[in-house]
Amino acid sequence: MMFFADRMLGKLAKKLRLLGFDTMYLSQIDEEKILELCKQNGRTLITRDRALHMRALKDRINSVLIHSDKWREQLIELSMRFDLRSTEKMTRCSLCNTQLVEISVEEIRDRVPLYVQDTQNSFFMCPVCNRIYWAGSHVQHALEEFRRAGI
Ligand SMILES: [Zn+2]
């Protein structure tokens, strides 16, 4: 399952990436290009723009119209259409959507706080923006939020 989140859904896009979904998000892009990218890659459009949603459907692109402006409720709306639980977590950078690579503790020695090194065994890095991820940080937090939301 691959998504394209429109510019009003930046926060939702980050959460979907943490959940392991390939989610494209560009804040500066015109509608024509969005539809083209969805069509090319078979992405499902997620949008709060009804007109864009209708255009996508007419173009035979899968599209989900989101109503809420809060990311938690947006996730719930989306989870009614798709099973959001089945992906492998910790696979994507929440900032740029790139696939993460696992790296050793030695490689993160100088870059991660000591208490994290003591409590975590696996670390991942985004090869594009170099951000480091571990299960105990934002991911854990996000998963907790999802659980609370019933996802
Ligand atoms: Zn990245």
Side-chain angles (χ1 to χ4, degrees):
M1 179 88 54
M2 297 194 293
F3 296 111
F4 190 106
D6 85 2
R7 65 180 187 287
M8 290 183 275
L9 299 171
K11 239 191 181 144
L12 179 64
K14 281 189 184 174
K15 303 297 175 186
L16 283 170
R17 289 167 180 168
L18 286 177
L19 276 172
F21 290 100
D22 180 336
T23 306
M24 211 168 176
Y25 170 79
L26 300 162
S27 53
Q28 305 284 338
I29 185 171
D30 59 42
E31 293 192 351
E32 214 61 56
K33 191 79 190 151
I34 292 179
L35 297 177
E36 198 184 306
L37 283 170
C38 286
K39 215 166 199 175
Q40 261 171 21
N41 310 322
R43 289 181 187 273
T44 295
L45 176 67
I46 323 168
T47 181
R48 289 188 59 214
D49 182 336
R50 181 173 290 275
L52 180 60
H53 173 66
M54 296 311 286
R55 271 185 75 183
L57 292 183
K58 214 178 245 175
D59 233 2
R60 297 177 170 228
I61 293 164
N62 280 329
S63 179
V64 182
L65 184 64
I66 297 288
H67 298 95
S68 174
D69 59 357
K70 299 187 181 65
W71 71 262
R72 279 186 192 81
E73 288 164 19
Q74 291 168 350
L75 262 183
I76 292 169
E77 283 183 49
L78 209 54
S79 72
M80 288 182 211
R81 289 280 299 272
F82 305 105
D83 184 1
L84 298 181
R85 291 162 306 180
S86 55
T87 46
E88 214 185 312
K89 320 290 188 255
M90 292 288 291
T91 52
R92 265 173 209 286
C93 177
S94 69
L95 296 184
C96 70
N97 197 37
T98 305
Q99 208 126 20
L100 300 178
V101 290
E102 188 156 13
I103 53 172
S104 66
V105 182
E106 285 73 37
E107 288 173 272
I108 50 88
R109 279 274 178 252
D110 310 326
R111 301 183 52 197
V112 171
L114 270 178
Y115 73 91
V116 175
Q117 296 184 29
D118 288 343
T119 52
Q120 301 295 320
N121 312 313
S122 32
F123 295 89
F124 302 84
M125 191 184 75
C126 171
V128 173
C129 64
N130 283 329
R131 194 170 190 213
I132 294 175
Y133 290 82
W134 59 89
S137 61
H138 22 266
V139 174
Q140 206 66 43
H141 185 71
L143 291 179
E144 192 53 46
E145 298 266 22
F146 297 150
R147 254 193 304 274
R148 239 175 288 153
I151 295 164

